[in-house]
Amino acid sequence: MAKKRIAVVPLWDEEKNSIWMLPNYLDGIRESGGVGLVLPLHVQPEDAVEILDMCDGLLITGGHDVSPSMYGEEKKDTCGILCPERDVLEQALYRRAVEQDKAVLGICRGIQTVNVLEGGTLYQDLPTEVPENVGHHGKPPYDQVVHEVILTSELRRLLGTDRLGVNSYHHQAIKQLGENLEVMAQSEDGLVEAVRHKHRRFVWAVQWHPEFSFWSDGNSRKIFQEFVDNC
């Protein structure tokens, strides 16, 4: 059987004016039986979806903040650097993937993108908007546990546990949940940490970073394996 082809949204380095990729995203796909294909960033949306049509799944990576204009808000001073090209690219890719019922995995920015495109909103900056949080901005090495999450739904069934220690590196998070989404994990301060699409075969997204902990944590490997198996 041919390996599953996974379209991977590229990362952007504005200082070097170049796309790049963390190898662990591709390692996780490869070790789970797939092949990760890093997409171009500066491409017309119709060309991007044609590439997706040749793939079996979509991985939405971490990265820049999602533009608040995507959920009808003005950008606050505490919001981070934006990448409008990613906003345009991911909207086209996600809509097509959901339309075709392709498997989707969102990580960090990925869960925020999925939530916004399903009609939800975000906290633009947790330290100022949710000051009594458990601390979601870890320091190197990024595979270390920062806090625990409480698991429900399909993620609890997959991992076989009610609680999970996760690595964490973000300053934005889901505020209002998108209408088609179901919560699969929450942190102890009540923030949404994982979601699934209620009406699609496999659209999952997590706020933590299983790519950083792929080699050291069996649960991270299970998440990647479940994604690739559903592609």
Side-chain angles (χ1 to χ4, degrees):
M1 181 182 295
K3 291 183 177 180
K4 307 295 177 61
R5 293 172 292 188
I6 316 297
V8 181
V9 176
L11 307 177
W12 174 249
D13 186 325
E14 57 274 350
E15 292 184 2
K16 296 181 179 178
N17 196 34
S18 65
I19 65 169
W20 65 290
M21 182 50 57
L22 284 166
N24 280 11
Y25 285 118
L26 305 181
D27 291 345
I29 292 171
R30 184 189 67 244
E31 294 298 312
S32 303
V35 175
L37 305 177
V38 181
L39 297 171
L41 179 61
H42 300 93
V43 62
Q44 293 299 315
E46 58 269 25
D47 296 328
V49 297
E50 282 193 17
I51 299 172
L52 181 63
D53 289 346
M54 298 184 287
C55 296
D56 305 295
L58 171 66
L59 174 61
I60 305 177
T61 54
H64 294 71
D65 288 351
V66 178
S67 174
S69 65
M70 298 275 285
Y71 47 97
E73 292 187 8
E74 295 291 328
K75 183 178 184 291
K76 299 179 180 179
D77 292 339
T78 50
C79 186
I81 298 172
L82 307 180
C83 182
E85 294 87 356
R86 280 198 63 171
D87 294 334
V88 172
L89 176 66
E90 289 170 355
Q91 179 167 322
L93 292 170
Y94 180 76
R95 297 295 189 208
R96 184 69 150 219
V98 169
E99 175 188 320
Q100 297 183 340
D101 205 14
K102 292 184 186 288
V104 177
L105 177 63
I107 293 176
C108 195
R109 173 191 160 98
I111 190 175
Q112 298 161 16
T113 296
V114 169
N115 186 65
V116 167
L117 293 178
E118 291 296 343
T121 64
L122 304 177
Y123 292 109
Q124 292 190 37
D125 182 63
L126 287 177
T128 55
E129 296 182 50
V130 190
E132 300 299 323
N133 66 74
V134 298
H136 294 267
H137 200 77
K139 298 178 180 179
Y142 295 121
D143 64 342
Q144 300 300 301
V145 170
V146 174
H147 61 79
E148 285 194 330
V149 297
I150 302 164
L151 303 181
T152 58
S153 185
E154 299 298 326
L155 193 55
R156 181 175 61 186
R157 284 189 277 274
L158 173 67
L159 303 184
T161 183
D162 294 328
R163 301 182 74 89
L164 178 70
V166 298
N167 55 354
S168 189
Y169 186 72
H170 61 101
H171 81 105
Q172 296 197 317
I174 290 175
K175 184 177 183 180
Q176 178 182 337
L177 186 69
E179 62 176 306
N180 289 317
L181 302 179
E182 174 189 6
V183 176
M184 296 198 297
Q186 286 183 287
S187 53
E188 293 173 310
D189 54 13
L191 290 178
V192 175
E193 292 275 341
V195 298
R196 63 179 288 270
H197 198 296
K198 293 185 290 187
H199 310 299
R200 288 296 181 266
R201 184 173 48 83
F202 190 94
V203 175
W204 284 21
V206 299
Q207 185 61 76
W208 64 92
H209 287 271
E211 81 282 6
F212 280 130
S213 55
F214 180 82
W215 294 108
S216 59
D217 176 57
N219 287 316
S220 296
R221 294 192 289 275
K222 286 181 181 179
I223 292 171
F224 268 94
Q225 190 66 63
E226 187 74 4
F227 166 53
V228 174
D229 285 349
N230 276 277
C231 286

